[in-house]
Amino acid sequence: MSAEAVLEWYIAAGVDEICGDKPWTEIEKTTPRIIPAASVVVPPKPVEPVRQATTELAQATVTARQNANDICASVSTLEELRKAVEDFDGCALKLTAAHTVFGDGNPHARVVFVGEAPGADEDRIGIPFVGRSGHLLDKMLAAVNIDRTKCYICNILPWRPPGNRTPLDSEIAVCLPFLKKQIDLINPDYIFTLGGSAANALLDIAESISRLRGRWLDYTKSDGSTAKVLASFHPAYLLRTPGQKAKSWADLLRLAREMGIVGEQNA
Ligand code: URA
């Protein structure tokens, strides 16, 4: 290489200052190589690829949700819907899940209980609320004369998020049509949500569960009729925070009284 070519190469690499009279190729032979800061070529920030990936992800979510909506429009029974959800490939959670956990219980129930997402036990067995949270839920329901033959139990997501992580907004957006269709097909008068995510996703709001619970809310079904909604704590939270069980109990009694299942004297 001629001296001129080496100089041109330095300039192209961003070198704009001379730090010594030896080229760095010589210095390197004797001392550890220290590259002057000015000679480090900093690649431009990859703003565009990230933006493009985000846009693609958003587009994939919109497409998958549209597919979910189309599927929901094409089915008219819970069994058809179950099969369609099992065959659906628009949510990556399915790739890590062992089972699709569809709703369970009475398809003509007056009340639907909605949780967040299957946990490890539900994923293994394929039925919602069969683990520790489910046992607590069953006990609470039994205390107001409700069992799975009298209600329907389902989740916002039919697949377990890996490690029970919080569901992503995009996962909720894609799977929500399946929950709403289940509610349409069952046509309940009452919905009891378990935990803040279920209430927020179903009602399309962003409120803490402590602000939501204790009052009736409305959910509008696709035929325009409404179901009365009570938002309460998630059984997993009650297992961690038993001091809140009394409030959940009050919520459940309120539901049972409104449904005429227990009278004032039981409350
Ligand atoms: N937690 C949920 O929200 N749903 C289940 O099915 C189990 C645990």
Side-chain angles (χ1 to χ4, degrees):
M1 252 186 168
S2 70
E4 198 182 354
V6 171
L7 198 58
E8 272 173 19
W9 185 86
Y10 276 142
I11 292 167
V15 177
D16 57 4
E17 197 177 332
I18 298 168
C19 303
D21 52 10
K22 279 188 185 171
W24 60 263
T25 44
E26 289 296 314
I27 297 169
E28 202 173 36
K29 284 179 192 156
T30 51
T31 55
R33 183 177 153 201
I34 299 166
I35 304 174
S39 74
V40 176
V41 182
V42 181
K45 281 191 186 159
V47 172
E48 282 310 315
V50 169
R51 194 176 295 152
Q52 188 179 335
T54 311
T55 311
E56 280 170 11
L57 198 64
Q59 189 51 49
T61 302
V62 170
T63 306
R65 186 177 166 105
Q66 187 52 52
N67 287 343
N69 276 324
D70 292 346
I71 288 168
C72 289
S74 72
V75 299
S76 50
T77 67
L78 275 180
E79 271 321 300
E80 282 173 7
L81 181 61
R82 172 200 290 274
K83 173 84 177 60
V85 175
E86 282 168 357
D87 291 347
F88 183 69
D89 283 326
C91 178
L93 289 177
K94 187 180 171 185
L95 300 174
T96 48
H99 280 102
T100 297
V101 181
F102 196 69
D104 179 48
N106 186 333
H108 307 290
R110 290 174 65 208
V111 57
V112 170
F113 290 84
V114 182
E116 183 178 296
D121 293 312
E122 291 75 17
D123 182 48
R124 192 167 42 80
I125 295 170
I127 298 175
F129 282 101
V130 289
R132 282 186 71 219
S133 299
H135 288 150
L136 176 59
L137 180 63
D138 284 341
K139 275 204 257 173
M140 291 165 62
L141 296 184
V144 287
N145 294 326
I146 298 179
D147 62 21
R148 292 186 190 222
T149 66
K150 294 192 187 128
C151 68
Y152 188 85
I153 300 181
C154 55
N155 284 304
I156 299 285
L157 300 182
W159 296 287
R160 180 193 185 207
N164 295 345
R165 66 157 167 74
T166 305
L168 304 177
D169 288 349
S170 56
E171 292 160 351
I172 293 176
V174 169
C175 296
L176 201 57
F178 298 135
L179 171 69
K180 293 187 161 194
K181 184 70 183 187
Q182 283 175 86
I183 294 174
D184 282 342
L185 290 170
I186 293 160
N187 196 18
D189 298 322
Y190 302 96
I191 297 173
F192 195 94
T193 56
L194 303 159
S197 338
N200 280 312
L202 189 65
L203 301 173
D204 195 19
I205 49 175
E207 287 272 9
S208 74
I209 186 62
S210 17
R211 286 175 68 93
L212 282 175
R213 62 162 292 280
R215 64 198 156 99
W216 287 106
L217 304 160
D218 277 340
Y219 171 77
T220 307
K221 293 172 258 181
S222 71
D223 66 359
S225 65
T226 52
K228 294 180 87 173
V229 180
L230 269 189
S232 191
F233 296 118
H234 194 286
Y237 171 73
L238 297 177
L239 287 169
R240 294 193 304 272
T241 325
Q244 298 285 42
K245 280 185 183 171
K247 288 185 189 156
S248 267
W249 176 235
D251 296 337
L252 213 46
L253 274 181
R254 187 174 191 152
L255 171 77
R257 275 202 301 265
E258 176 76 19
M259 291 178 69
I261 299 174
V262 299
E264 292 294 331
Q265 73 278 10
N266 304 97

